[in-house]
Amino acid sequence: LVMSYLSYLDSSVLLASGIGVGAHWYWDIAGFAVHGQVFFVSWVVIVLLLVASFLGTSTLEQVPRGWQNFMESVLEFTQEIAKNQMGESFYRPWVPFVTTIFLFVLGCNWAGAILPWKLIELPEGEFAAPTNDINTTVALALLVSLSYFYAGLQKKGLGYFKRYVQPTII
């Protein structure tokens, strides 16, 4: 019995590489295979963010109310994050980037948690939060990593890579 279980385990490990993770609904857009669920829900989030931005900036007042108040508080929150991480003299140009990434990730997570996507039937798979898909997570990680290296090169030039090459003293 133990030997048959071990041979089953051994063969299942070899077959594990061929296992797909869930069913996906793909669209063909200009010759590219696009993950339909992620693409659709991402655009729903982007449209909602654009609507919120429009509502927050359409009627600017000296004393903010409603959407303007909400958008200003979000901006102040992300400005503080950027200032604490990058320093007082360097954070300002990066506030739009930090705010965009923050709002997109927050919107995607809330879209997966609040909106009743399971009520919509698809040919394959189901709608979910775009951040639930590894491709979205990897794309955002690459975007942030490239921006990080760009900021380092912009500030310190090629000497920026010196800290990655020098050995650390223990």
Side-chain angles (χ1 to χ4, degrees):
L1 182 65
V2 171
M3 291 306 284
S4 65
Y5 179 71
L6 288 176
S7 70
Y8 167 76
L9 255 171
D10 191 36
S11 65
S12 66
V13 168
L14 293 175
L15 296 176
S17 63
I19 295 174
V21 181
H24 300 292
W25 180 37
Y26 288 98
W27 296 344
D28 183 37
I29 299 177
F32 293 102
V34 177
H35 192 174
Q37 298 101 314
V38 172
F39 187 77
F40 179 77
V41 179
S42 294
W43 274 103
V44 167
V45 169
I46 290 168
V47 166
L48 290 174
L49 290 174
L50 287 172
V51 167
S53 297
F54 177 76
L55 290 173
T57 59
S58 60
T59 56
L60 296 177
E61 299 175 11
Q62 188 67 27
V63 179
R65 295 179 311 165
W67 283 101
Q68 181 184 353
N69 191 27
F70 172 73
M71 294 306 285
E72 284 189 17
S73 64
V74 168
L75 183 62
E76 287 176 12
F77 177 73
T78 55
Q79 274 181 332
E80 285 300 315
I81 291 173
K83 190 187 306 181
N84 290 339
Q85 295 302 315
M86 296 179 211
E88 185 75 37
S89 62
F90 191 64
Y91 80 98
R92 275 201 185 275
W94 292 96
V95 169
F97 179 75
V98 171
T99 304
T100 302
I101 297 294
F102 173 78
L103 287 176
F104 181 73
V105 170
L106 182 72
C108 287
N109 287 340
W110 277 97
I114 292 178
L115 300 176
W117 295 115
K118 297 200 188 285
L119 298 177
I120 301 171
E121 291 188 28
L122 298 175
E124 283 189 72
E126 61 186 25
F127 286 123
T131 48
N132 190 34
D133 185 52
I134 188 68
N135 297 313
T136 304
T137 307
V138 168
L140 290 170
L142 286 173
L143 188 62
V144 170
S145 295
L146 290 174
S147 299
Y148 181 80
F149 287 126
Y150 171 76
L153 285 170
Q154 183 184 26
K155 188 173 183 180
K156 297 184 178 182
L158 288 176
Y160 170 71
F161 291 111
K162 194 163 94 172
R163 75 179 216 166
Y164 292 111
V165 178
Q166 287 179 341
T168 55
I169 300 171
I170 299 179

